[in-house]
Coordinates of all heavy atoms in Angstrom, one line a residue:
M1 N 1.8 26.0 -172.9 CA 0.3 26.1 -172.9 C -0.2 25.2 -174.0 O 0.2 25.2 -175.1 CB -0.1 27.6 -173.2 CG -1.6 27.8 -173.2 SD -2.1 29.5 -173.5 CE -1.0 30.5 -172.5
L2 N -1.3 24.5 -173.6 CA -1.9 23.6 -174.6 C -2.8 24.4 -175.5 O -3.4 25.4 -175.2 CB -2.9 22.6 -173.8 CG -2.2 21.5 -173.0 CD1 -3.3 20.7 -172.3 CD2 -1.4 20.6 -173.9
S3 N -2.9 23.9 -176.7 CA -3.8 24.5 -177.7 C -5.2 24.0 -177.2 O -5.4 23.0 -176.6 CB -3.5 24.0 -179.1 OG -4.0 22.6 -179.3
P4 N -6.3 24.8 -177.6 CA -7.6 24.4 -177.2 C -8.0 23.0 -177.7 O -8.8 22.3 -177.0 CB -8.5 25.4 -177.9 CG -7.6 26.6 -178.0 CD -6.2 26.0 -178.3
A5 N -7.5 22.5 -178.8 CA -7.9 21.2 -179.4 C -7.1 20.1 -178.7 O -7.5 18.9 -178.9 CB -7.7 21.2 -180.9
A6 N -6.0 20.3 -178.1 CA -5.1 19.2 -177.7 C -5.3 18.7 -176.3 O -4.6 17.9 -175.8 CB -3.6 19.7 -177.8
S7 N -6.3 19.3 -175.6 CA -6.5 18.9 -174.2 C -7.3 17.7 -173.9 O -7.3 17.2 -172.8 CB -7.1 20.1 -173.5 OG -8.4 20.3 -174.0
G8 N -8.0 17.1 -174.9 CA -8.7 15.9 -174.8 C -10.0 16.1 -174.0 O -10.6 15.1 -173.5
V9 N -10.6 17.3 -173.9 CA -11.9 17.5 -173.3 C -12.8 18.2 -174.3 O -12.4 18.5 -175.4 CB -11.7 18.4 -172.0 CG1 -10.9 17.8 -171.0 CG2 -11.2 19.8 -172.4
A10 N -14.0 18.4 -174.0 CA -15.0 19.0 -174.9 C -14.5 20.3 -175.4 O -13.8 21.0 -174.6 CB -16.4 19.1 -174.2
P11 N -14.8 20.7 -176.6 CA -14.3 22.0 -177.1 C -14.6 23.2 -176.3 O -13.7 24.0 -176.1 CB -15.0 22.1 -178.5 CG -15.4 20.7 -178.9 CD -15.6 20.0 -177.6
E12 N -15.8 23.3 -175.8 CA -16.1 24.5 -174.9 C -15.3 24.5 -173.7 O -14.7 25.6 -173.3 CB -17.6 24.5 -174.5 CG -18.5 24.7 -175.7 CD -18.9 23.3 -176.3 OE1 -18.4 22.3 -175.9 OE2 -19.6 23.4 -177.3
A13 N -15.1 23.4 -173.0 CA -14.3 23.3 -171.8 C -12.8 23.5 -172.2 O -12.1 24.2 -171.4 CB -14.5 21.9 -171.2
A14 N -12.3 23.0 -173.3 CA -11.0 23.2 -173.7 C -10.7 24.6 -174.0 O -9.6 25.2 -173.6 CB -10.6 22.3 -174.9
I15 N -11.6 25.3 -174.6 CA -11.4 26.8 -174.8 C -11.4 27.5 -173.5 O -10.5 28.4 -173.4 CB -12.5 27.3 -175.8 CG1 -12.3 26.7 -177.2 CG2 -12.5 28.8 -175.8 CD1 -13.4 27.0 -178.2
E16 N -12.2 27.2 -172.6 CA -12.2 27.9 -171.3 C -10.9 27.6 -170.6 O -10.3 28.5 -170.0 CB -13.4 27.5 -170.4 CG -13.4 28.3 -169.2 CD -14.7 28.1 -168.3 OE1 -15.7 27.9 -168.9 OE2 -14.5 28.2 -167.1
I17 N -10.4 26.4 -170.6 CA -9.1 26.1 -169.9 C -8.0 26.9 -170.6 O -7.2 27.5 -169.9 CB -8.8 24.6 -170.0 CG1 -9.8 23.8 -169.2 CG2 -7.4 24.3 -169.7 CD1 -9.8 22.3 -169.4
Y18 N -8.0 27.0 -171.9 CA -7.0 27.7 -172.6 C -7.1 29.2 -172.2 O -6.1 29.9 -172.0 CB -7.2 27.6 -174.1 CG -6.5 28.6 -174.9 CD1 -5.1 28.6 -175.1 CD2 -7.2 29.6 -175.6 CE1 -4.4 29.5 -175.8 CE2 -6.5 30.6 -176.3 CZ -5.1 30.5 -176.5 OH -4.5 31.5 -177.2
L19 N -8.3 29.8 -172.2 CA -8.5 31.2 -171.8 C -8.0 31.5 -170.4 O -7.4 32.5 -170.1 CB -9.9 31.6 -172.1 CG -10.4 31.7 -173.5 CD1 -11.9 32.0 -173.6 CD2 -9.6 32.7 -174.3
R20 N -8.3 30.5 -169.5 CA -7.9 30.7 -168.1 C -6.4 30.7 -168.0 O -5.8 31.5 -167.3 CB -8.5 29.6 -167.2 CG -9.9 29.7 -166.9 CD -10.4 28.7 -165.9 NE -11.8 28.9 -165.6 CZ -12.3 29.7 -164.8 NH1 -11.4 30.5 -164.1 NH2 -13.6 29.8 -164.6
E21 N -5.7 29.8 -168.8 CA -4.3 29.8 -168.8 C -3.7 31.1 -169.4 O -2.8 31.7 -168.8 CB -3.7 28.6 -169.6 CG -4.0 27.3 -168.9 CD -3.6 26.1 -169.7 OE1 -3.2 26.3 -170.9 OE2 -3.7 25.0 -169.2
L22 N -4.3 31.5 -170.5 CA -3.8 32.7 -171.2 C -4.0 34.0 -170.3 O -3.0 34.7 -170.0 CB -4.6 32.9 -172.5 CG -4.4 34.2 -173.2 CD1 -2.9 34.4 -173.6 CD2 -5.3 34.4 -174.4
F23 N -5.1 34.2 -169.8 CA -5.4 35.4 -169.0 C -4.7 35.3 -167.6 O -4.3 36.3 -167.1 CB -6.9 35.8 -169.0 CG -7.4 36.3 -170.2 CD1 -8.1 35.5 -171.1 CD2 -7.1 37.6 -170.6 CE1 -8.5 36.0 -172.4 CE2 -7.5 38.1 -171.8 CZ -8.3 37.3 -172.7
G24 N -4.7 34.1 -167.1 CA -3.9 34.0 -165.8 C -2.4 34.3 -166.0 O -1.9 35.0 -165.2
R25 N -1.9 33.9 -167.1 CA -0.4 34.2 -167.4 C -0.3 35.7 -167.6 O 0.6 36.3 -167.0 CB 0.0 33.5 -168.6 CG 1.5 33.8 -169.0 CD 2.0 32.9 -170.2 NE 1.1 33.0 -171.3 CZ 1.1 34.0 -172.2 NH1 1.9 35.0 -172.1 NH2 0.3 34.0 -173.3
L26 N -1.2 36.3 -168.4 CA -1.0 37.7 -168.6 C -1.2 38.6 -167.4 O -0.6 39.6 -167.2 CB -2.1 38.2 -169.7 CG -1.9 37.7 -171.1 CD1 -3.0 38.0 -172.0 CD2 -0.6 38.2 -171.7
L27 N -2.1 38.1 -166.5 CA -2.4 38.9 -165.3 C -1.6 38.5 -164.1 O -1.8 39.0 -163.0 CB -3.9 38.8 -165.0 CG -4.8 39.5 -166.0 CD1 -6.2 39.0 -165.9 CD2 -4.7 41.0 -165.9
N28 N -0.8 37.5 -164.2 CA 0.0 36.9 -163.1 C -0.9 36.4 -162.0 O -0.7 36.7 -160.8 CB 1.0 37.9 -162.6 CG 2.1 38.2 -163.6 OD1 2.6 37.2 -164.2 ND2 2.5 39.4 -163.7
L29 N -2.0 35.7 -162.4 CA -3.0 35.2 -161.5 C -3.1 33.7 -161.8 O -3.0 33.3 -163.0 CB -4.3 35.8 -161.6 CG -4.5 37.3 -161.3 CD1 -5.8 37.8 -161.7 CD2 -4.3 37.5 -159.8
P30 N -3.5 32.9 -160.8 CA -3.8 31.5 -161.1 C -5.1 31.5 -161.9 O -6.1 32.3 -161.6 CB -4.1 30.8 -159.8 CG -4.1 31.9 -158.8 CD -3.5 33.2 -159.4
G31 N -5.2 30.7 -163.0 CA -6.3 30.6 -163.8 C -7.6 30.4 -163.1 O -8.7 31.0 -163.5
E32 N -7.6 29.6 -162.1 CA -8.8 29.3 -161.3 C -9.3 30.5 -160.5 O -10.5 30.5 -160.1 CB -8.7 28.1 -160.4 CG -7.6 28.2 -159.4 CD -6.2 27.8 -159.8 OE1 -6.0 27.4 -161.0 OE2 -5.3 27.8 -159.0
A33 N -8.5 31.5 -160.4 CA -8.9 32.7 -159.7 C -9.7 33.6 -160.6 O -10.3 34.6 -160.1 CB -7.7 33.5 -159.2
L34 N -9.8 33.4 -161.8 CA -10.6 34.2 -162.8 C -12.0 33.8 -162.8 O -12.4 32.6 -163.1 CB -10.0 34.1 -164.2 CG -8.5 34.4 -164.3 CD1 -8.1 34.1 -165.8 CD2 -8.2 35.8 -163.9
G35 N -12.9 34.7 -162.4 CA -14.3 34.4 -162.4 C -14.9 34.4 -163.8 O -14.5 35.1 -164.7
E36 N -15.8 33.4 -164.1 CA -16.4 33.3 -165.4 C -17.0 34.6 -165.9 O -17.0 34.9 -167.1 CB -17.4 32.2 -165.5 CG -16.9 30.8 -165.5 CD -18.0 29.8 -165.6 OE1 -19.2 30.2 -165.8 OE2 -17.7 28.6 -165.6
D37 N -17.6 35.3 -165.0 CA -18.4 36.5 -165.5 C -17.6 37.8 -165.1 O -18.2 38.9 -165.2 CB -19.8 36.5 -164.8 CG -20.6 35.3 -165.3 OD1 -20.5 35.0 -166.5 OD2 -21.3 34.7 -164.5
E38 N -16.4 37.7 -164.6 CA -15.7 38.9 -164.3 C -15.0 39.5 -165.5 O -14.3 38.8 -166.2 CB -14.6 38.5 -163.2 CG -14.0 39.7 -162.5 CD -13.3 39.3 -161.2 OE1 -13.1 38.1 -161.0 OE2 -12.8 40.2 -160.6
S39 N -15.2 40.8 -165.7 CA -14.6 41.5 -166.8 C -13.1 41.4 -166.8 O -12.4 41.6 -165.8 CB -15.0 42.9 -166.8 OG -14.3 43.7 -167.7
F40 N -12.5 41.1 -168.0 CA -11.1 41.1 -168.2 C -10.5 42.4 -167.8 O -9.4 42.5 -167.2 CB -10.7 40.8 -169.6 CG -11.1 39.5 -170.2 CD1 -11.9 39.4 -171.3 CD2 -10.8 38.3 -169.5 CE1 -12.3 38.1 -171.8 CE2 -11.2 37.1 -170.0 CZ -12.0 37.0 -171.1
F41 N -11.2 43.5 -168.1 CA -10.7 44.8 -167.8 C -10.7 45.2 -166.3 O -9.8 45.8 -165.8 CB -11.4 45.8 -168.7 CG -11.3 45.5 -170.1 CD1 -12.3 44.8 -170.8 CD2 -10.1 45.8 -170.8 CE1 -12.1 44.5 -172.1 CE2 -9.9 45.4 -172.1 CZ -10.9 44.8 -172.8
S42 N -11.7 44.7 -165.6 CA -11.7 44.9 -164.1 C -10.7 44.0 -163.4 O -10.2 44.4 -162.4 CB -13.1 44.5 -163.5 OG -13.4 43.2 -163.6
L43 N -10.2 43.0 -164.1 CA -9.1 42.1 -163.6 C -7.8 42.8 -163.8 O -6.8 42.4 -163.2 CB -9.1 40.8 -164.2 CG -10.3 39.9 -163.8 CD1 -10.4 38.7 -164.8 CD2 -10.1 39.4 -162.4
G44 N -7.7 43.8 -164.7 CA -6.4 44.5 -165.0 C -5.8 44.4 -166.4 O -4.7 44.7 -166.6
I45 N -6.7 43.9 -167.3 CA -6.2 43.9 -168.7 C -6.0 45.3 -169.2 O -7.0 46.1 -169.2 CB -7.1 43.1 -169.6 CG1 -7.1 41.6 -169.3 CG2 -6.8 43.4 -171.1 CD1 -5.8 40.9 -169.7
T46 N -4.8 45.7 -169.6 CA -4.5 47.0 -170.1 C -4.5 46.9 -171.6 O -4.6 45.8 -172.2 CB -3.1 47.4 -169.6 OG1 -2.1 46.5 -170.2 CG2 -3.0 47.5 -168.1
S47 N -4.3 48.0 -172.3 CA -4.2 48.0 -173.7 C -3.1 47.2 -174.3 O -3.2 46.5 -175.3 CB -4.2 49.4 -174.3 OG -3.0 50.1 -173.8
L48 N -2.0 47.2 -173.6 CA -0.8 46.3 -174.0 C -1.1 44.9 -173.8 O -0.9 44.0 -174.7 CB 0.4 46.7 -173.2 CG 1.7 45.9 -173.5 CD1 2.1 46.1 -175.0 CD2 2.8 46.4 -172.6
L49 N -1.7 44.5 -172.7 CA -2.1 43.1 -172.4 C -3.2 42.7 -173.4 O -3.3 41.5 -173.8 CB -2.5 42.9 -171.0 CG -1.4 43.1 -169.9 CD1 -2.0 42.9 -168.5 CD2 -0.3 42.1 -170.1
H50 N -4.1 43.6 -173.7 CA -5.1 43.3 -174.7 C -4.5 42.9 -176.0 O -4.9 41.9 -176.6 CB -6.0 44.6 -174.9 CG -7.0 44.5 -176.0 ND1 -6.8 45.0 -177.2 CD2 -8.2 43.9 -176.0 CE1 -7.9 44.8 -177.9 NE2 -8.8 44.1 -177.2
Q51 N -3.5 43.6 -176.5 CA -2.8 43.3 -177.7 C -2.1 41.9 -177.6 O -2.1 41.1 -178.5 CB -1.8 44.4 -178.1 CG -2.5 45.6 -178.5 CD -3.4 45.4 -179.7 OE1 -3.1 44.7 -180.7 NE2 -4.6 46.0 -179.6
E52 N -1.4 41.7 -176.5 CA -0.8 40.4 -176.3 C -1.8 39.2 -176.3 O -1.5 38.2 -176.9 CB -0.1 40.3 -174.9 CG 1.2 41.1 -174.9 CD 2.0 41.0 -173.6 OE1 2.2 39.8 -173.1 OE2 2.3 42.0 -173.0
A53 N -3.0 39.4 -175.7 CA -4.0 38.4 -175.7 C -4.5 38.1 -177.2 O -4.6 37.0 -177.6 CB -5.2 38.8 -174.9
L54 N -4.6 39.2 -178.0 CA -5.1 39.0 -179.3 C -4.0 38.3 -180.2 O -4.4 37.4 -181.0 CB -5.3 40.4 -180.0 CG -6.6 41.1 -179.5 CD1 -6.7 42.5 -180.2 CD2 -7.8 40.3 -179.8
V55 N -2.7 38.5 -179.9 CA -1.7 37.8 -180.6 C -1.8 36.3 -180.3 O -1.7 35.5 -181.2 CB -0.3 38.4 -180.3 CG1 0.8 37.5 -180.8 CG2 -0.1 39.8 -180.9
D56 N -1.9 36.0 -179.0 CA -2.0 34.6 -178.6 C -3.3 33.9 -179.1 O -3.2 32.8 -179.7 CB -2.0 34.5 -177.1 CG -0.6 34.5 -176.5 OD1 0.4 34.8 -177.2 OD2 -0.5 34.3 -175.3
L57 N -4.4 34.6 -179.1 CA -5.6 34.1 -179.6 C -5.6 33.8 -181.0 O -6.1 32.8 -181.5 CB -6.8 35.0 -179.2 CG -7.2 35.1 -177.7 CD1 -8.1 36.2 -177.5 CD2 -7.9 33.8 -177.3
S58 N -4.9 34.7 -181.8 CA -4.9 34.6 -183.2 C -4.1 33.3 -183.7 O -4.2 32.9 -184.8 CB -4.4 35.8 -183.9 OG -3.0 36.0 -183.6
K59 N -3.3 32.8 -182.8 CA -2.6 31.5 -183.1 C -3.5 30.4 -183.3 O -3.2 29.4 -184.0 CB -1.6 31.2 -182.0 CG -0.4 32.2 -181.9 CD 0.4 31.8 -180.7 CE 1.5 32.9 -180.5 NZ 2.2 32.6 -179.2
F60 N -4.7 30.4 -182.7 CA -5.6 29.3 -182.7 C -7.0 29.7 -183.4 O -7.7 28.8 -183.8 CB -5.9 28.8 -181.3 CG -4.7 28.3 -180.6 CD1 -4.2 29.0 -179.5 CD2 -4.0 27.2 -181.0 CE1 -3.0 28.6 -178.9 CE2 -2.8 26.8 -180.4 CZ -2.3 27.5 -179.3
F61 N -7.3 31.0 -183.4 CA -8.6 31.4 -183.9 C -8.3 32.4 -185.0 O -7.8 33.5 -184.7 CB -9.4 32.0 -182.8 CG -9.7 31.0 -181.7 CD1 -8.9 31.1 -180.5 CD2 -10.6 30.0 -181.8 CE1 -9.1 30.2 -179.5 CE2 -10.8 29.1 -180.7 CZ -10.0 29.2 -179.6
D62 N -8.7 32.1 -186.2 CA -8.4 33.0 -187.4 C -9.4 34.2 -187.4 O -10.5 34.1 -186.9 CB -8.6 32.2 -188.7 CG -7.6 31.2 -188.9 OD1 -6.5 31.3 -188.3 OD2 -7.9 30.2 -189.6
E63 N -8.9 35.3 -187.9 CA -9.7 36.4 -188.2 C -10.5 37.0 -187.0 O -11.7 37.3 -187.1 CB -10.7 36.1 -189.4 CG -10.0 35.7 -190.7 CD -10.9 35.4 -191.8 OE1 -12.1 35.8 -191.8 OE2 -10.5 34.6 -192.7
L64 N -9.8 37.1 -185.9 CA -10.5 37.7 -184.8 C -10.5 39.2 -184.9 O -9.5 39.8 -185.3 CB -9.7 37.4 -183.5 CG -9.9 36.0 -182.9 CD1 -9.1 35.8 -181.7 CD2 -11.4 35.7 -182.6
S65 N -11.6 39.8 -184.5 CA -11.7 41.3 -184.5 C -10.9 41.8 -183.4 O -10.7 41.2 -182.4 CB -13.2 41.6 -184.3 OG -13.3 43.0 -183.9
S66 N -10.3 43.0 -183.7 CA -9.5 43.6 -182.6 C -10.4 44.1 -181.4 O -9.8 44.4 -180.4 CB -8.7 44.8 -183.2 OG -9.7 45.8 -183.7
T67 N -11.7 44.0 -181.6 CA -12.6 44.4 -180.5 C -13.2 43.2 -179.8 O -14.1 43.4 -179.0 CB -13.7 45.3 -181.0 OG1 -14.4 44.6 -182.0 CG2 -13.1 46.6 -181.6
V68 N -12.7 42.0 -180.1 CA -13.4 40.8 -179.6 C -13.4 40.8 -178.0 O -14.4 40.4 -177.4 CB -12.7 39.5 -180.1 CG1 -11.3 39.3 -179.5 CG2 -13.6 38.3 -179.9
L69 N -12.4 41.3 -177.3 CA -12.4 41.3 -175.9 C -13.4 42.4 -175.3 O -13.8 42.3 -174.2 CB -11.0 41.6 -175.3 CG -10.0 40.5 -175.6 CD1 -8.7 40.8 -174.9 CD2 -10.5 39.1 -175.2
F70 N -13.7 43.4 -176.1 CA -14.7 44.4 -175.7 C -16.1 43.8 -175.9 O -17.0 44.1 -175.2 CB -14.5 45.7 -176.5 CG -13.2 46.4 -176.2 CD1 -12.2 46.3 -177.0 CD2 -13.1 47.1 -175.0 CE1 -11.0 47.0 -176.7 CE2 -11.9 47.7 -174.7 CZ -10.9 47.7 -175.6
E71 N -16.3 43.1 -177.0 CA -17.6 42.5 -177.3 C -17.9 41.3 -176.4 O -19.1 41.0 -176.1 CB -17.6 42.0 -178.8 CG -17.4 43.1 -179.8 CD -17.2 42.6 -181.2 OE1 -18.0 41.8 -181.7 OE2 -16.2 43.1 -181.8
Y72 N -16.9 40.5 -176.0 CA -17.0 39.3 -175.2 C -16.1 39.5 -174.0 O -15.0 38.9 -174.0 CB -16.8 38.1 -176.0 CG -17.6 38.0 -177.2 CD1 -17.1 38.4 -178.4 CD2 -18.9 37.6 -177.2 CE1 -17.9 38.4 -179.6 CE2 -19.7 37.5 -178.3 CZ -19.2 38.0 -179.5 OH -20.0 37.9 -180.6
P73 N -16.4 40.4 -173.0 CA -15.4 40.8 -172.0 C -15.1 39.9 -170.8 O -14.5 40.3 -169.8 CB -16.0 42.1 -171.6 CG -17.5 42.0 -171.7 CD -17.6 41.1 -172.9
N74 N -15.6 38.7 -170.9 CA -15.3 37.8 -169.7 C -15.1 36.3 -170.3 O -15.4 36.0 -171.4 CB -16.4 37.8 -168.6 CG -17.7 37.5 -169.1 OD1 -17.9 36.5 -169.8 ND2 -18.8 38.3 -168.8
L75 N -14.7 35.4 -169.4 CA -14.4 34.0 -169.8 C -15.6 33.4 -170.4 O -15.5 32.7 -171.4 CB -13.9 33.2 -168.6 CG -12.5 33.5 -168.1 CD1 -12.2 32.7 -166.9 CD2 -11.5 33.0 -169.2
S76 N -16.7 33.5 -169.7 CA -18.0 32.9 -170.2 C -18.4 33.3 -171.6 O -18.6 32.5 -172.5 CB -19.1 33.2 -169.2 OG -20.3 32.6 -169.6
L77 N -18.4 34.6 -171.8 CA -18.9 35.1 -173.1 C -17.8 34.8 -174.2 O -18.2 34.4 -175.3 CB -19.1 36.6 -173.0 CG -20.3 37.1 -172.2 CD1 -20.3 38.6 -172.1 CD2 -21.6 36.6 -172.8
L78 N -16.5 35.0 -173.9 CA -15.5 34.8 -174.9 C -15.4 33.3 -175.3 O -15.3 32.9 -176.4 CB -14.1 35.3 -174.4 CG -13.0 35.3 -175.4 CD1 -13.4 36.0 -176.8 CD2 -11.7 35.8 -174.8
S79 N -15.4 32.4 -174.3 CA -15.3 31.0 -174.6 C -16.5 30.5 -175.4 O -16.3 29.7 -176.3 CB -15.1 30.1 -173.3 OG -16.2 30.3 -172.4
G80 N -17.7 31.0 -175.0 CA -18.9 30.6 -175.8 C -18.8 31.1 -177.3 O -19.1 30.4 -178.2
H81 N -18.3 32.3 -177.4 CA -18.2 32.9 -178.8 C -17.2 32.1 -179.6 O -17.4 31.8 -180.7 CB -17.7 34.4 -178.7 CG -17.3 35.0 -180.0 ND1 -18.2 35.2 -181.0 CD2 -16.1 35.3 -180.4 CE1 -17.5 35.7 -182.0 NE2 -16.3 35.8 -181.7
L82 N -16.0 31.8 -179.0 CA -15.0 31.1 -179.7 C -15.4 29.7 -180.0 O -15.1 29.1 -181.1 CB -13.7 31.1 -178.9 CG -13.0 32.5 -178.8 CD1 -11.8 32.4 -177.9 CD2 -12.7 33.1 -180.1
A83 N -16.1 29.0 -179.1 CA -16.6 27.7 -179.4 C -17.6 27.7 -180.5 O -17.6 26.8 -181.4 CB -17.2 27.1 -178.1
E84 N -18.5 28.7 -180.5 CA -19.5 28.8 -181.6 C -18.8 29.0 -182.9 O -19.1 28.4 -184.0 CB -20.5 29.9 -181.3 CG -21.6 30.0 -182.3 CD -22.5 31.2 -182.0 OE1 -22.9 31.3 -180.8 OE2 -22.9 31.9 -182.9
R85 N -17.8 29.9 -183.0 CA -17.1 30.2 -184.2 C -16.4 28.9 -184.7 O -16.3 28.6 -185.9 CB -16.0 31.2 -184.0 CG -16.5 32.6 -184.0 CD -15.3 33.6 -183.9 NE -14.4 33.2 -184.9 CZ -13.4 34.0 -185.4 NH1 -13.2 35.1 -184.9 NH2 -12.6 33.6 -186.3
S86 N -15.8 28.2 -183.8 CA -15.0 27.0 -184.1 C -16.0 25.9 -184.7 O -15.7 25.3 -185.7 CB -14.3 26.4 -182.9 OG -13.4 27.2 -182.5
L87 N -17.2 25.8 -184.1 CA -18.2 24.8 -184.6 C -18.6 25.2 -186.0 O -18.7 24.4 -186.9 CB -19.4 24.8 -183.7 CG -20.5 23.8 -184.0 CD1 -19.9 22.4 -184.1 CD2 -21.6 23.9 -183.0
R88 N -18.9 26.5 -186.2 CA -19.3 27.0 -187.6 C -18.2 26.7 -188.6 O -18.5 26.4 -189.7 CB -19.7 28.5 -187.5 CG -21.0 28.8 -187.0 CD -21.4 30.2 -187.3 NE -20.4 31.2 -187.0 CZ -20.4 32.1 -186.0 NH1 -21.4 32.1 -185.2 NH2 -19.4 32.9 -185.8
S89 N -17.0 26.9 -188.2 CA -15.8 26.7 -189.1 C -15.7 25.2 -189.5 O -15.5 24.9 -190.6 CB -14.6 27.2 -188.4 OG -13.4 26.9 -189.2
I90 N -15.9 24.4 -188.5 CA -15.9 22.9 -188.8 C -17.0 22.5 -189.7 O -16.8 21.7 -190.6 CB -15.9 22.1 -187.4 CG1 -14.6 22.3 -186.7 CG2 -16.2 20.7 -187.7 CD1 -14.7 21.9 -185.2
Q91 N -18.2 23.1 -189.5 CA -19.3 22.8 -190.3 C -19.3 23.4 -191.7 O -20.2 23.2 -192.5 CB -20.6 23.2 -189.6 CG -20.9 22.4 -188.3 CD -22.0 22.8 -187.5 OE1 -22.5 24.0 -187.7 NE2 -22.6 22.0 -186.7
G92 N -18.3 24.3 -191.9 CA -18.2 25.0 -193.2 C -19.1 26.1 -193.4 O -19.5 26.4 -194.5
Q93 N -19.6 26.8 -192.4 CA -20.5 27.9 -192.5 C -19.8 29.2 -192.4 O -19.1 29.5 -191.7 CB -21.7 27.8 -191.5 CG -22.5 26.6 -191.7 CD -23.6 26.5 -190.7 OE1 -23.6 27.2 -189.7 NE2 -24.5 25.5 -190.9

């Protein structure tokens, strides 16, 4: 799996690609089958898969809340949140 920064595309798009790969792998679904606004939990994320997702996400995104998937429960919201956090981090805020 590529890191969000290594894909050579815009940060927001790279994060979405990464999230599609991550959740597709966890759910045994092709990433393109995941709707941008479809809840991770309606797709079948269990508490165990939630923890696996957090472990993978923490490899690239520091200090994630354990509730981040509840606060941003779909690809669109989570990728936007992570892109904004990354931008703030780069800008030193």
Side-chain angles (χ1 to χ4, degrees):
M1 182 179 318
L2 287 177
S3 75
S7 63
V9 297
E12 296 86 0
I15 290 170
E16 185 173 327
I17 291 167
Y18 164 72
L19 292 175
R20 284 185 181 280
E21 290 175 357
L22 170 62
F23 287 101
R25 180 178 52 79
L26 292 174
L27 294 165
N28 292 318
L29 295 171
E32 60 272 3
L34 306 176
E36 283 186 5
D37 297 320
E38 195 167 2
S39 166
F40 298 125
F41 301 99
S42 70
L43 290 167
I45 290 292
T46 62
S47 58
L48 181 60
L49 293 176
H50 174 261
Q51 290 303 316
E52 287 185 49
L54 289 177
V55 168
D56 279 6
L57 288 167
S58 69
K59 293 175 186 174
F60 302 110
F61 303 99
D62 295 335
E63 300 177 22
L64 283 179
S65 164
S66 62
T67 61
V68 71
L69 296 184
F70 295 102
E71 296 170 52
Y72 306 95
N74 60 46
L75 284 172
S76 178
L77 293 173
L78 185 57
S79 61
H81 169 69
L82 295 174
E84 183 179 316
R85 279 186 53 162
S86 297
L87 182 58
R88 282 193 314 250
S89 175
I90 290 168
Q91 292 174 342
Q93 296 179 349

